[in-house]
Amino acid sequence: MTVPRTLLALRALGLGDLLVAVPALRGLCAAFPGHHRLLALPGWLHPLAELIGGWDELVAVPGLDEPLPAGLPDTDVAVNLHGQGPRSSALLDTVHPRRRIGHAQPGWPGPAWVPPLPERQRWCRLLAWHGVPADPADIALARPRAPAPVVGAVLVHPGAGYGAKRWPLPRFAAVIAAHREHGHRVLITGGAADHDLADQLAALAGVPPSDVLAGRTGMPELAALVSAARLVISGDTGIAHVAFAYRTPSVTLFGPADPHQWGPPAGGPHLLLGGRRRSGDPFATDPDPALLAVTVPQVLRASGVLGVLPSAIDSTGAA
Protein backbone atom coordinates (compact mmCIF):
# COMPACT_ATOMS: atom_id res chain seq x y z
CA MET A 1 0.00 0.00 0.00
CA THR A 2 1.35 3.39 -1.01
CA VAL A 3 1.75 5.87 1.83
CA PRO A 4 0.38 9.28 0.75
CA ARG A 5 2.72 12.22 0.71
CA THR A 6 2.26 14.74 3.50
CA LEU A 7 1.32 18.41 3.36
CA LEU A 8 1.76 20.39 6.59
CA ALA A 9 0.32 23.92 6.98
CA LEU A 10 1.11 26.07 10.03
CA ARG A 11 -1.32 28.64 11.48
CA ALA A 12 -0.59 28.68 15.23
CA LEU A 13 -2.56 31.84 15.98
CA GLY A 14 -5.98 32.85 17.36
CA LEU A 15 -9.59 32.48 16.28
CA GLY A 16 -9.83 35.47 13.95
CA ASP A 17 -6.44 34.63 12.45
CA LEU A 18 -7.64 31.12 11.65
CA LEU A 19 -10.82 32.33 9.98
CA VAL A 20 -9.14 34.88 7.72
CA ALA A 21 -7.00 31.99 6.46
CA VAL A 22 -10.00 29.81 5.50
CA PRO A 23 -9.87 30.69 1.78
CA ALA A 24 -6.18 29.73 1.64
CA LEU A 25 -6.82 26.52 3.60
CA ARG A 26 -9.58 25.57 1.15
CA GLY A 27 -7.31 26.32 -1.80
CA LEU A 28 -4.62 24.03 -0.40
CA CYS A 29 -7.06 21.17 0.13
CA ALA A 30 -8.29 21.47 -3.45
CA ALA A 31 -4.77 21.67 -4.89
CA PHE A 32 -3.37 18.65 -3.00
CA PRO A 33 -6.18 16.07 -2.93
CA GLY A 34 -3.80 13.11 -2.94
CA HIS A 35 -1.72 14.29 0.02
CA HIS A 36 -2.28 13.52 3.68
CA ARG A 37 -3.08 17.07 4.79
CA LEU A 38 -2.06 18.18 8.28
CA LEU A 39 -3.04 21.54 9.77
CA ALA A 40 -1.00 22.71 12.75
CA LEU A 41 -2.83 25.13 15.06
CA PRO A 42 -3.67 25.55 18.77
CA GLY A 43 -5.61 22.64 20.20
CA TRP A 44 -8.49 24.77 21.48
CA LEU A 45 -9.28 25.72 17.87
CA HIS A 46 -9.54 22.14 16.60
CA PRO A 47 -13.36 21.94 16.95
CA LEU A 48 -13.72 25.02 14.77
CA ALA A 49 -11.10 23.84 12.28
CA GLU A 50 -13.21 20.73 11.73
CA LEU A 51 -15.94 23.02 10.36
CA ILE A 52 -13.57 24.24 7.64
CA GLY A 53 -13.37 20.75 6.16
CA GLY A 54 -10.80 19.08 3.94
CA TRP A 55 -8.02 18.44 6.47
CA ASP A 56 -7.12 14.85 7.27
CA GLU A 57 -5.45 15.54 10.60
CA LEU A 58 -5.17 18.43 13.06
CA VAL A 59 -1.90 18.89 14.93
CA ALA A 60 -1.88 20.77 18.26
CA VAL A 61 0.77 23.49 18.48
CA PRO A 62 0.61 26.27 21.10
CA GLY A 63 2.67 28.77 19.11
CA LEU A 64 6.24 29.18 17.94
CA ASP A 65 8.02 28.79 21.28
CA GLU A 66 7.87 24.99 21.30
CA PRO A 67 8.99 22.47 18.69
CA LEU A 68 6.47 20.69 16.51
CA PRO A 69 5.11 17.48 18.07
CA ALA A 70 7.40 14.48 17.87
CA GLY A 71 6.60 11.81 15.33
CA LEU A 72 5.54 14.01 12.42
CA PRO A 73 6.62 12.47 9.12
CA ASP A 74 9.04 14.13 6.77
CA THR A 75 6.90 16.43 4.71
CA ASP A 76 6.48 16.71 0.97
CA VAL A 77 4.99 20.25 1.15
CA ALA A 78 5.28 22.70 4.05
CA VAL A 79 3.10 25.80 3.99
CA ASN A 80 3.82 28.81 6.18
CA LEU A 81 0.46 30.49 6.76
CA HIS A 82 1.64 31.79 10.13
CA GLY A 83 3.67 34.82 9.08
CA GLN A 84 6.61 35.99 7.05
CA GLY A 85 9.21 34.13 9.12
CA PRO A 86 11.92 33.46 10.08
CA ARG A 87 10.78 31.71 13.32
CA SER A 88 7.72 30.08 11.76
CA SER A 89 9.69 28.95 8.72
CA ALA A 90 12.46 27.53 10.91
CA LEU A 91 9.85 25.47 12.72
CA LEU A 92 8.61 24.03 9.44
CA ASP A 93 12.16 23.34 8.26
CA THR A 94 12.43 20.72 11.02
CA VAL A 95 10.16 18.37 9.02
CA HIS A 96 12.54 18.57 6.02
CA PRO A 97 10.00 19.60 3.35
CA ARG A 98 10.73 18.90 -0.26
CA ARG A 99 8.70 21.94 -1.30
CA ARG A 100 8.23 25.15 0.68
CA ILE A 101 5.27 27.50 0.20
CA GLY A 102 5.72 30.80 1.98
CA HIS A 103 6.83 34.40 1.67
CA ALA A 104 10.28 35.23 0.37
CA GLN A 105 13.17 34.66 2.79
CA PRO A 106 16.40 32.66 2.78
CA GLY A 107 15.61 29.11 1.72
CA TRP A 108 11.97 29.94 0.99
CA PRO A 109 10.99 31.19 -2.46
CA GLY A 110 7.87 33.32 -2.63
CA PRO A 111 6.39 36.78 -2.95
CA ALA A 112 7.53 39.70 -0.81
CA TRP A 113 5.48 40.43 2.32
CA VAL A 114 3.18 43.45 1.76
CA PRO A 115 2.03 44.88 5.13
CA PRO A 116 -1.28 46.64 4.32
CA LEU A 117 -3.04 43.87 2.39
CA PRO A 118 -6.44 42.56 3.51
CA GLU A 119 -5.59 39.36 5.36
CA ARG A 120 -7.66 36.99 3.21
CA GLN A 121 -6.08 38.43 0.07
CA ARG A 122 -2.61 38.18 1.62
CA TRP A 123 -2.74 34.41 1.94
CA CYS A 124 -4.52 33.86 -1.38
CA ARG A 125 -1.87 36.04 -3.05
CA LEU A 126 0.83 33.90 -1.45
CA LEU A 127 -0.71 30.70 -2.80
CA ALA A 128 -1.25 32.21 -6.25
CA TRP A 129 2.48 32.99 -6.49
CA HIS A 130 3.10 29.29 -5.86
CA GLY A 131 0.52 28.22 -8.44
CA VAL A 132 -2.30 27.37 -6.03
CA PRO A 133 -5.62 29.14 -6.73
CA ALA A 134 -7.79 30.30 -3.83
CA ASP A 135 -10.90 32.48 -3.58
CA PRO A 136 -10.71 35.23 -0.90
CA ALA A 137 -14.52 35.19 -0.62
CA ASP A 138 -14.67 31.48 0.28
CA ILE A 139 -15.08 31.99 4.04
CA ALA A 140 -18.19 29.97 4.96
CA LEU A 141 -18.04 27.40 7.75
CA ALA A 142 -20.12 24.23 7.99
CA ARG A 143 -22.90 24.28 10.56
CA PRO A 144 -22.03 22.60 13.86
CA ARG A 145 -23.66 19.21 14.43
CA ALA A 146 -25.20 20.27 17.74
CA PRO A 147 -28.12 22.71 17.53
CA ALA A 148 -27.74 26.19 18.98
CA PRO A 149 -28.87 26.40 22.62
CA VAL A 150 -30.63 29.68 21.80
CA VAL A 151 -31.97 30.80 18.42
CA GLY A 152 -32.49 34.40 17.35
CA ALA A 153 -30.66 36.12 20.20
CA VAL A 154 -28.58 39.29 20.04
CA LEU A 155 -25.05 38.38 21.09
CA VAL A 156 -22.93 41.06 22.75
CA HIS A 157 -19.25 40.24 23.17
CA PRO A 158 -17.43 42.88 25.28
CA GLY A 159 -14.04 41.19 25.55
CA ALA A 160 -10.92 41.27 23.41
CA GLY A 161 -7.34 40.18 23.89
CA TYR A 162 -6.13 43.65 24.83
CA GLY A 163 -7.66 46.85 26.16
CA ALA A 164 -7.04 48.65 22.87
CA LYS A 165 -9.97 46.70 21.37
CA ARG A 166 -12.39 46.92 24.33
CA TRP A 167 -15.23 49.41 23.99
CA PRO A 168 -16.29 50.90 27.37
CA LEU A 169 -18.72 48.73 29.33
CA PRO A 170 -21.25 51.54 30.02
CA ARG A 171 -21.66 51.96 26.26
CA PHE A 172 -22.21 48.23 25.76
CA ALA A 173 -24.74 48.38 28.61
CA ALA A 174 -26.69 51.15 26.87
CA VAL A 175 -26.73 49.14 23.63
CA ILE A 176 -27.97 46.05 25.49
CA ALA A 177 -30.70 48.04 27.22
CA ALA A 178 -32.01 49.39 23.92
CA HIS A 179 -32.22 45.94 22.37
CA ARG A 180 -33.93 44.44 25.40
CA GLU A 181 -36.45 47.30 25.44
CA HIS A 182 -37.40 46.30 21.91
CA GLY A 183 -38.02 42.69 22.88
CA HIS A 184 -34.74 41.03 22.00
CA ARG A 185 -33.07 38.47 24.20
CA VAL A 186 -29.45 39.55 24.69
CA LEU A 187 -26.73 37.04 25.58
CA ILE A 188 -23.31 38.16 26.76
CA THR A 189 -20.59 35.94 25.30
CA GLY A 190 -16.89 35.56 25.91
CA GLY A 191 -14.16 33.17 26.87
CA ALA A 192 -13.21 32.05 30.35
CA ALA A 193 -10.93 35.07 30.73
CA ASP A 194 -13.92 37.36 30.05
CA HIS A 195 -16.09 36.01 32.88
CA ASP A 196 -15.55 38.94 35.28
CA LEU A 197 -15.93 41.48 32.48
CA ALA A 198 -19.18 39.85 31.37
CA ASP A 199 -20.52 39.82 34.94
CA GLN A 200 -19.75 43.55 35.28
CA LEU A 201 -21.57 44.25 32.02
CA ALA A 202 -24.56 42.14 33.07
CA ALA A 203 -24.83 44.09 36.32
CA LEU A 204 -24.72 47.40 34.45
CA ALA A 205 -27.30 46.31 31.84
CA GLY A 206 -29.63 44.30 34.09
CA VAL A 207 -29.00 41.06 32.19
CA PRO A 208 -29.90 37.95 34.24
CA PRO A 209 -27.02 35.60 35.15
CA SER A 210 -28.56 32.87 33.00
CA ASP A 211 -27.89 35.00 29.92
CA VAL A 212 -24.19 35.47 30.69
CA LEU A 213 -22.43 32.78 28.67
CA ALA A 214 -18.82 33.94 29.01
CA GLY A 215 -16.71 30.93 29.89
CA ARG A 216 -19.68 28.58 29.59
CA THR A 217 -19.54 27.71 25.90
CA GLY A 218 -16.99 25.70 24.01
CA MET A 219 -16.03 26.49 20.45
CA PRO A 220 -18.75 24.29 18.85
CA GLU A 221 -21.45 25.86 21.05
CA LEU A 222 -20.22 29.36 20.25
CA ALA A 223 -20.26 28.62 16.52
CA ALA A 224 -23.80 27.25 16.81
CA LEU A 225 -24.94 30.31 18.77
CA VAL A 226 -23.48 32.70 16.21
CA SER A 227 -24.90 30.75 13.27
CA ALA A 228 -28.41 31.04 14.78
CA ALA A 229 -28.13 34.59 16.18
CA ARG A 230 -30.17 37.59 15.11
CA LEU A 231 -27.19 39.95 15.51
CA VAL A 232 -23.62 39.94 16.84
CA ILE A 233 -22.19 43.12 18.37
CA SER A 234 -18.51 43.03 19.25
CA GLY A 235 -15.13 44.60 18.96
CA ASP A 236 -12.63 43.52 16.34
CA THR A 237 -12.09 40.04 17.74
CA GLY A 238 -12.67 36.38 16.91
CA ILE A 239 -16.45 36.22 17.27
CA ALA A 240 -16.83 38.89 14.57
CA HIS A 241 -15.07 36.57 12.11
CA VAL A 242 -17.40 33.73 13.10
CA ALA A 243 -20.32 36.04 12.24
CA PHE A 244 -18.70 36.84 8.90
CA ALA A 245 -18.33 33.13 8.17
CA TYR A 246 -22.03 32.43 8.83
CA ARG A 247 -23.29 35.68 7.28
CA THR A 248 -24.93 36.49 10.60
CA PRO A 249 -25.73 40.23 10.77
CA SER A 250 -23.03 41.93 12.77
CA VAL A 251 -21.84 45.30 14.00
CA THR A 252 -18.08 45.32 14.56
CA LEU A 253 -16.33 48.15 16.41
CA PHE A 254 -12.81 48.76 15.14
CA GLY A 255 -10.00 50.46 17.01
CA PRO A 256 -6.29 50.00 16.35
CA ALA A 257 -6.69 47.60 13.41
CA ASP A 258 -7.67 48.71 9.93
CA PRO A 259 -11.16 47.41 8.99
CA HIS A 260 -10.02 47.25 5.36
CA GLN A 261 -7.42 44.68 6.42
CA TRP A 262 -9.47 42.69 8.96
CA GLY A 263 -13.08 43.23 7.96
CA PRO A 264 -15.34 40.84 6.03
CA PRO A 265 -15.58 40.44 2.26
CA ALA A 266 -17.96 42.87 0.62
CA GLY A 267 -21.61 42.04 0.32
CA GLY A 268 -22.49 40.50 3.66
CA PRO A 269 -24.90 41.83 6.32
CA HIS A 270 -22.07 43.41 8.30
CA LEU A 271 -21.42 46.98 9.38
CA LEU A 272 -18.03 48.22 10.56
CA LEU A 273 -17.70 51.24 12.84
CA GLY A 274 -14.60 53.14 13.91
CA GLY A 275 -13.04 56.57 13.86
CA ARG A 276 -10.13 57.54 11.66
CA ARG A 277 -7.68 58.52 14.41
CA ARG A 278 -6.19 55.22 15.50
CA SER A 279 -2.97 54.62 17.40
CA GLY A 280 -2.39 51.36 15.58
CA ASP A 281 -1.13 49.64 18.73
CA PRO A 282 -3.25 46.48 19.20
CA PHE A 283 -1.49 45.65 22.48
CA ALA A 284 -2.22 48.94 24.25
CA THR A 285 -3.99 48.88 27.62
CA ASP A 286 -6.48 51.68 26.94
CA PRO A 287 -9.16 51.73 24.23
CA ASP A 288 -7.89 53.04 20.92
CA PRO A 289 -8.99 56.58 19.93
CA ALA A 290 -10.74 55.16 16.87
CA LEU A 291 -12.73 52.80 19.07
CA LEU A 292 -13.65 55.56 21.53
CA ALA A 293 -14.97 57.58 18.60
CA VAL A 294 -17.76 55.02 18.16
CA THR A 295 -20.90 56.19 19.99
CA VAL A 296 -23.92 54.34 21.33
CA PRO A 297 -26.29 56.04 18.82
CA GLN A 298 -24.05 54.89 15.96
CA VAL A 299 -24.28 51.28 17.10
CA LEU A 300 -28.05 51.51 17.53
CA ARG A 301 -28.45 53.05 14.09
CA ALA A 302 -26.34 50.25 12.61
CA SER A 303 -28.63 47.72 14.29
CA GLY A 304 -31.52 49.56 12.68
CA VAL A 305 -29.91 49.42 9.24
CA LEU A 306 -29.60 45.66 9.69
CA GLY A 307 -33.30 45.43 10.56
CA VAL A 308 -32.93 44.47 14.21
CA LEU A 309 -33.99 47.75 15.83
CA PRO A 310 -36.41 50.35 14.47
CA SER A 311 -34.68 52.38 11.79
CA ALA A 312 -34.99 55.69 13.70
CA ILE A 313 -33.22 55.72 17.06
CA ASP A 314 -32.51 58.89 19.01
CA SER A 315 -29.51 59.51 21.28
CA THR A 316 -31.19 57.82 24.27
CA GLY A 317 -31.83 54.61 22.34
CA ALA A 318 -35.60 55.19 22.03
CA ALA A 319 -37.39 54.78 18.73
Side-chain angles (χ1 to χ4, degrees):
M1 179 178 178
T2 303
V3 177
R5 293 176 293 175
T6 299
L7 177 146
L8 175 64
L10 176 67
R11 187 69 171 171
L13 295 164
L15 172 56
D17 301 289
L18 171 64
L19 294 184
V20 295
V22 164
L25 294 172
R26 293 248 170 81
L28 286 169
C29 288
F32 295 93
H35 282 64
H36 184 70
R37 298 172 298 248
L38 282 70
L39 176 59
L41 74 167
W44 65 275
L45 285 172
H46 285 191
L48 197 72
E50 291 172 356
L51 303 179
I52 297 171
W55 292 87
D56 300 302
E57 187 176 343
L58 302 175
V59 178
V61 289
L64 302 183
D65 295 330
E66 298 182 18
L68 292 173
L72 289 178
D74 284 355
T75 299
D76 184 53
V77 183
V79 187
N80 188 349
L81 295 178
H82 187 95
Q84 60 182 316
R87 291 175 63 206
S88 50
S89 300
L91 203 62
L92 287 167
D93 283 337
T94 64
V95 294
H96 313 292
R98 182 188 64 80
R99 178 182 177 188
R100 292 167 171 82
I101 295 177
H103 286 91
Q105 58 182 295
W108 286 70
W113 181 275
V114 180
L117 282 179
E119 283 298 299
R120 293 175 190 84
Q121 293 182 20
R122 174 188 307 288
W123 301 109
C124 291
R125 170 181 176 267
L126 166 68
L127 295 188
W129 192 95
H130 289 276
V132 176
D135 179 3
D138 184 12
I139 68 170
L141 294 175
R143 299 278 174 173
R145 294 187 184 93
V150 179
V151 175
V154 173
L155 307 185
V156 173
H157 191 96
Y162 293 90
K165 294 185 176 184
R166 293 180 195 148
W167 204 46
L169 289 185
R171 301 190 195 182
F172 270 122
V175 167
I176 289 174
H179 284 82
R180 295 183 76 213
E181 287 168 6
H182 286 87
H184 294 288
R185 184 177 180 185
V186 179
L187 304 178
I188 301 175
T189 60
D194 300 321
H195 190 271
D196 290 345
L197 189 74
D199 282 347
Q200 293 174 42
L201 177 55
L204 285 172
V207 173
S210 59
D211 286 345
V212 179
L213 302 185
R216 294 169 47 196
T217 55
M219 196 54 61
E221 293 82 10
L222 181 65
L225 271 172
V226 172
S227 70
R230 182 70 183 85
L231 176 69
V232 174
I233 301 172
S234 74
D236 165 32
T237 192
I239 195 171
H241 294 276
V242 181
F244 302 159
Y246 287 118
R247 292 183 60 86
T248 298
S250 64
V251 180
T252 307
L253 318 181
F254 275 85
D258 183 353
H260 173 69
Q261 185 174 2
W262 290 96
H270 313 294
L271 293 177
L272 314 180
L273 302 177
R276 294 184 179 180
R277 188 172 67 88
R278 47 178 51 94
S279 72
D281 181 2
F283 308 114
T285 301
D286 296 325
D288 193 86
L291 185 62
L292 290 177
V294 179
T295 66
V296 170
Q298 284 179 310
V299 176
L300 298 182
R301 283 195 293 271
S303 181
V305 170
L306 293 170
V308 179
L309 287 179
S311 57
I313 298 286
D314 68 20
S315 60
T316 67

